[in-house]
Amino acid sequence: MVLVQPSTTKDPGGQQEDFGKSSPLGLLILVLFFIAVFFLVKSMNKHLKKLPASFDPPEESAKKKSED
């Protein structure tokens, strides 16, 4: 019993003459993605710098709350 029959055409595994070649449109899309990621990372870093080092309450206000 044969499950896969060999191809009788000269097409080796669906790889025609254009297989593996990219177009200039693909390069343009890739460059646009890299530019978008650059600006997203830049924006994220700017927002992260605005965050405080810790979200714990300051020591002085924590002591006042525990005394009340």
Side-chain angles (χ1 to χ4, degrees), residues 3-56:
L3 297 177
V4 179
Q5 295 179 355
S7 176
T8 57
T9 63
K10 293 185 179 184
D11 184 20
Q15 297 179 1
Q16 298 174 356
E17 67 183 55
D18 290 337
F19 182 79
K21 296 180 182 176
S22 62
S23 68
L25 179 64
L27 177 63
L28 177 66
I29 291 171
L30 189 63
V31 169
L32 289 176
F33 279 137
F34 283 133
I35 291 170
V37 168
F38 172 77
F39 283 112
L40 285 172
V41 169
K42 187 176 176 182
S43 174
M44 182 177 57
N45 283 334
K46 184 169 54 171
H47 286 293
L48 286 175
K49 287 179 184 177
K50 292 180 183 179
L51 290 176
S54 173
F55 288 104
D56 295 333

